[in-house]
């Protein structure tokens, strides 16, 4: 019993010592928690040669990813239109004054919602997509009309396409492709561009909102590659 009491006292003393000795500065804690998530990505200095910077922007519902490297700024998806103000603010916080190219994974509003505003403001030289519009999407139909009239330059991507973005910097498209059953594309999510980003030895996969049938087909076709 005496040993148990001594052990209990030792634990209490140890805890008390930690409580009084470890006192983080409250101002620092407050600053850390109030700092915007994108503060670490703000463009205070230019991207060094040979570096790739990837910023996943918190724009509420929807995807918006910035790729900065080899002198190019590329966006993968542009978020939902109802959060347009958030997206524009995040781009300003990141110091973005131009967007060279845009990759749209698929034609759902939470991925292409701001494309007309972003394209008008930043004037990308090229917009990539799967070439599969959403017949029920207003923004998708407006974008298709803009492509038809030549307002924006478009490049449709499919499996096995490879796009060079810079020295050691390229994307490899895995889907959609002819190896997939056309019935799969009845769901807009399954029309998503799936691609592997390569930057020298670094790779990162982008999948949009592709579903299980496409994932299974890719696994069968590419194996461990994806």
């Amino acid at each position: 019993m005496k040993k148990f009491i001594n052990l209990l006292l030792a634990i209490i003393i140890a805890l008390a010592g930690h409580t009084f000795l470890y006192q983080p500065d409250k101002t620092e804690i407050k600053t850390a928690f109030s700092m915007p998530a994108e503060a670490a990505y703000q463009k205070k200095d230019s991207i060094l040669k040979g570096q790739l910077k990837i910023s996943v922007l918190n724009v509420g519902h929807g995807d918006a990813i910035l790729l900065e490297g080899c002198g190019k700024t590329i966006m993968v998806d542009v978020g939902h239109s109802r959060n347009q103000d958030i997206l524009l603010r995040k781009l300003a916080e990141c110091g973005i004054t131009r967007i060279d190219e845009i990759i749209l994974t698929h034609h759902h509003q939470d991925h292409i919602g701001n494309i007309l505003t972003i394209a008008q403001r930043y004037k990308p030289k090229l917009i990539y997509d799967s070439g599969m519009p959403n017949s029920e999407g207003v923004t998708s139909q407006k974008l298709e009309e803009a492509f038809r009239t030549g307002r924006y330059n478009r490049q449709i991507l499919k499996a096995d396409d490879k796009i060079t973005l810079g020295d050691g910097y390229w994307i490899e498209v895995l889907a959609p492709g002819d190896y997939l059953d056309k019935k799969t594309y009845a769901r807009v999510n399954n029309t998503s561009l799936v691609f592997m980003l390569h930057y020298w030895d670094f790779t990162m996969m982008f999948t949009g909102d592709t579903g299980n049938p496409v994932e299974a087909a890719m696994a069968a076709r590419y194996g461990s590659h994806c």
Side-chain angles (χ1 to χ4, degrees), residues 16-134:
H18 180 269
T19 301
F20 289 105
L21 291 174
Y22 181 69
Q23 291 290 334
D25 184 82
K26 293 181 180 179
T27 303
E28 291 180 357
I29 293 175
K30 184 177 181 181
T31 301
F33 280 94
S34 63
M35 184 180 293
E38 280 73 33
Y41 297 99
Q42 287 184 7
K43 206 171 186 179
K44 294 179 181 177
D45 300 303
S46 59
I47 306 301
L48 296 177
K49 186 176 180 180
Q51 289 187 341
L52 172 65
K53 178 179 172 183
I54 301 174
S55 304
V56 180
L57 305 181
N58 181 2
V59 293
H61 181 61
D63 285 4
I65 302 168
L66 273 175
L67 309 176
E68 298 173 81
C70 295
K72 279 186 177 181
T73 299
I74 298 170
M75 277 206 78
V76 180
D77 290 334
V78 291
H80 200 294
S81 55
R82 67 186 177 207
N83 296 326
Q84 183 181 114
D85 290 346
I86 297 175
L87 174 62
L88 294 176
R89 185 173 72 249
K90 298 297 183 185
L91 291 173
E93 288 175 358
C94 291
I96 301 302
T97 57
R98 81 172 199 277
I99 296 173
D100 299 291
E101 297 174 4
I102 298 175
I103 302 171
L104 300 174
T105 59
H106 63 294
H107 285 229
H108 265 157
Q109 192 69 6
D110 56 340
H111 291 257
I112 69 163
N114 293 304
I115 183 57
L116 299 176
T117 298
I118 294 299
Q120 182 178 2
R121 178 171 294 205
Y122 293 97
K123 297 179 171 46
K125 297 171 185 174
L126 191 58
I127 298 175
Y128 301 97
D129 76 331
S130 66
M132 298 185 192
N134 179 0

Side-chain angles (χ1 to χ4, degrees), residues 122-152:
Y122 293 97
K123 297 179 171 46
K125 297 171 185 174
L126 191 58
I127 298 175
Y128 301 97
D129 76 331
S130 66
M132 298 185 192
N134 179 0
S135 60
E136 298 179 359
V138 174
T139 302
S140 177
Q141 294 305 308
K142 288 181 177 179
L143 180 60
E144 284 296 304
E145 179 62 23
F147 286 143
R148 279 194 294 269
T149 58
R151 186 174 176 186
Y152 304 121

